[in-house]
Amino acid sequence: MARKGGGGGGGGGFHDLLPVMAEKLGGEGLINELCNGFQMLMDKEKGVITLESLRRNSSLLGLWDMGEEELVSMMREGDLDGDGALNQMEFCVLMFRLSPELMEESLYWLDDALEKEFKAS
């Protein structure tokens, strides 16, 4: 996940932790951690992440410095089906999209998997 960092001038910035997690946990472990993150952020009654549940639970994932505008932007960017909430798939896609380094690695993993698949057929 991303963690909002300190830094001078109040600018902050995100420290991308997904590549480190992927390296330590492997692909399956990373997906499990993303699922755990989703569970922590979701509205337990609705089974999705709402803006309200994100506001309420974001500090659990180290996102305590995120302002309202950043939370709204995150929800807007991740809400692929336009229902105003993030389901588990949308959350995982968003986390990958917010991690440029992991996106590059994912493309490498995809290329590698496709190459192996073509060689096997």
Side-chain angles (χ1 to χ4, degrees), residues 3 7 19-20 23 33 37 62 68 88-89 103 105 109 113 120-121:
R3 180 179 61 197
V20 174
E23 189 174 314
E33 283 303 308
E68 180 71 11
Q88 189 165 310
M89 186 271 309
M103 281 296 291
E105 289 179 27
W109 294 337
S121 18

Side-chain angles (χ1 to χ4, degrees), residues 30-96:
L30 176 62
I31 296 300
N32 287 338
E33 283 303 308
L34 287 175
C35 291
N36 288 340
F38 175 81
Q39 295 293 322
M40 291 172 69
L41 292 173
M42 78 173 190
D43 179 306
K44 304 301 182 220
E45 292 177 13
K46 297 179 180 175
V48 293
I49 296 173
T50 63
L51 181 57
E52 184 56 40
S53 71
L54 186 59
R55 281 185 197 119
R56 190 174 49 248
N57 300 320
S58 61
S59 64
L60 296 172
L61 296 178
L63 303 174
W64 50 84
D65 290 342
M66 288 186 78
E68 180 71 11
E69 188 175 309
E70 292 170 300
L71 295 175
V72 169
S73 176
M74 188 174 168
M75 288 294 295
R76 220 179 273 131
E77 184 176 345
D79 184 14
L80 301 175
D81 61 11
D83 66 354
L86 302 180
N87 61 37
Q88 189 165 310
M89 186 271 309
E90 289 172 323
F91 174 74
C92 290
V93 168
L94 177 63
M95 291 299 100
F96 274 81

